[in-house]
Amino acid sequence: MTLAFVALIAGLALLVWSADKFVDGAAATARYAGMPPLLIGMVIIGFGTSAPEMVVSALAAAQGNPGLALGNAYGSNITNIALILGLTALISPIAVSSQVVRKEIPILLGITLLSGALLIDGHLGGTDALILGAVFLVLMGWSIWAGMTGKGDALDADIADDISSEGMSLKRAIVWLLVGLVLLIAASRLLVWGAVTIAQALGISDLVIGLTIVAVGTSLPELASSLIAIRKKEHDLALGNVLGSNLFNTLAVVGIAAGIAPLDVDPAVLSRDWSLMMGLTLLLLIMCLGRKGQGRINRWEGGLLLAIFVAYTSWLLGSQFL
């Protein structure tokens, strides 16, 4: 089992590094192609930061580990809101001003409701994958149209400054895009093998492993992006990273996994994990609406989110050993 732990840690480290290079290369390549900064942030960076979840869940589904596939996707959403936004708000309260970000939260709420409806029968198959994929394509089409026609959004300026500061040549951008993608796949295979081996040796379900260790590990790119954005006072970018990632996880990650192999859903996924994900999304909406149109996630609210994450993770792990 020592080798499995080494594989898990090495896989997580390589996953985070390769995802970062993949995002840098993809964003710079898109910039050279003339894509608007806001669109790069919503689509390219959103896809890139969700790439670890996407590849890990796809491999887990293909290898017959549905619990790991679903646990990684939904666990990452819980981690993104409760751990990442909670920790970020504790460091620096998050002001909400971007209209695009404010519109994305109700959309995320609706998508979360849709995902719950698909889980009711305890099975995710080809039809469910098609539904999730169709909604994903519609949203991406809408995002592309909004990004191409929208002007003057605060998030657009934040992303434009962030991308222009990279100064990466086109050749280097393409190299990092390809290298990052290859290493991303290799790291994911290593991570899945290590996680499944450890789960089997300790008698822990692959669902719980996916909801905890794997979910936190694959969410590290979002954590790094949000902390950097807050340090630069780009609050909307920090929040946008999380919202974009959750949209990708709920639709694309789960949809791809279900499309690769039908997934039998543990009843606890709906009653426990989806319910918490839904509750956190609703709580985030309430926090971001604020008063008089100016939302703000303050330190007390960040502490509350972080406490929810600690309690949930402790409950999950405790249920496996008690």
Side-chain angles (χ1 to χ4, degrees):
M1 195 165 70
T2 301
L3 183 58
F5 271 109
V6 172
L8 180 67
I9 295 172
L12 284 173
L14 184 58
L15 195 71
V16 173
W17 185 85
S18 59
D20 180 60
K21 295 303 180 183
F22 176 76
V23 169
D24 288 345
T29 302
R31 177 170 172 261
Y32 279 107
M35 188 176 290
L38 183 58
L39 191 56
I40 293 175
M42 293 171 63
V43 180
I44 302 298
I45 295 178
F47 173 82
T49 54
S50 291
E53 290 91 343
M54 204 173 296
V55 179
V56 168
S57 289
L59 287 173
Q63 294 174 12
N65 300 107
L68 183 58
L70 282 176
N72 178 38
Y74 293 149
S76 292
N77 283 3
I78 293 169
T79 299
N80 284 344
I81 296 176
L83 174 62
I84 294 177
L85 285 184
L87 183 59
T88 302
L90 272 178
I91 296 172
S92 176
I94 304 172
V96 183
S97 58
S98 170
Q99 292 303 310
V100 172
V101 172
R102 298 276 298 281
K103 289 176 183 177
E104 281 187 352
I105 301 176
I107 292 175
L108 179 60
L109 197 61
I111 289 171
T112 305
L113 282 170
L114 171 64
S115 68
L118 296 179
L119 291 173
I120 290 176
D121 63 357
H123 181 79
L124 288 174
T127 302
D128 302 306
L130 287 174
I131 293 172
L132 292 172
V135 175
F136 176 74
L137 290 175
V138 168
L139 279 176
M140 286 303 97
W142 176 81
S143 296
I144 291 172
W145 177 83
M148 296 296 287
T149 59
K151 296 180 180 179
D153 190 89
L155 186 56
D156 186 84
D158 285 346
I159 296 172
D161 291 341
D162 194 52
I163 295 172
S164 62
S165 65
E166 294 294 331
M168 188 181 296
S169 67
L170 177 59
K171 181 179 178 180
R172 186 182 176 193
I174 294 174
V175 168
W176 279 126
L177 173 64
L178 297 176
V179 170
L181 181 60
V182 170
L183 292 179
L184 195 62
I185 295 172
S188 297
R189 291 185 66 88
L190 195 63
L191 174 62
V192 168
W193 178 81
V196 171
T197 302
I198 292 172
Q200 292 173 345
L202 296 178
I204 301 174
S205 71
D206 58 353
L207 174 61
V208 171
I209 286 289
L211 288 165
T212 53
I213 298 174
V214 177
V216 172
T218 56
S219 294
L220 289 178
E222 285 90 346
L223 176 59
S225 298
S226 295
L227 292 178
I228 291 172
I230 282 295
R231 183 170 57 84
K232 295 179 178 180
K233 307 298 182 183
E234 297 172 350
H235 292 190
D236 283 330
L237 190 55
L239 185 55
N241 285 336
V242 166
L243 295 177
S245 177
N246 280 20
L247 287 170
F248 271 87
N249 291 343
T250 307
L251 294 174
V253 174
V254 176
I256 289 173
I260 290 174
L263 305 175
D264 291 323
V265 182
D266 188 315
V269 172
L270 180 61
S271 63
R272 179 192 62 201
D273 310 315
W274 176 87
S275 297
L276 178 60
M277 183 172 71
M278 182 68 188
L280 285 171
T281 306
L282 184 59
L283 181 60
L284 181 61
L285 175 63
I286 295 171
M287 290 178 179
C288 289
L289 284 176
R291 296 181 179 180
K292 298 180 180 179
Q294 178 60 56
R296 182 181 178 87
I297 305 177
N298 58 40
R299 286 191 172 91
W300 285 104
E301 291 168 336
L304 173 61
L305 292 173
L306 202 56
I308 291 173
F309 176 79
V310 172
Y312 169 71
T313 304
S314 300
W315 178 29
L316 280 178
L317 295 177
S319 66
Q320 297 293 301
F321 296 106
L322 297 179

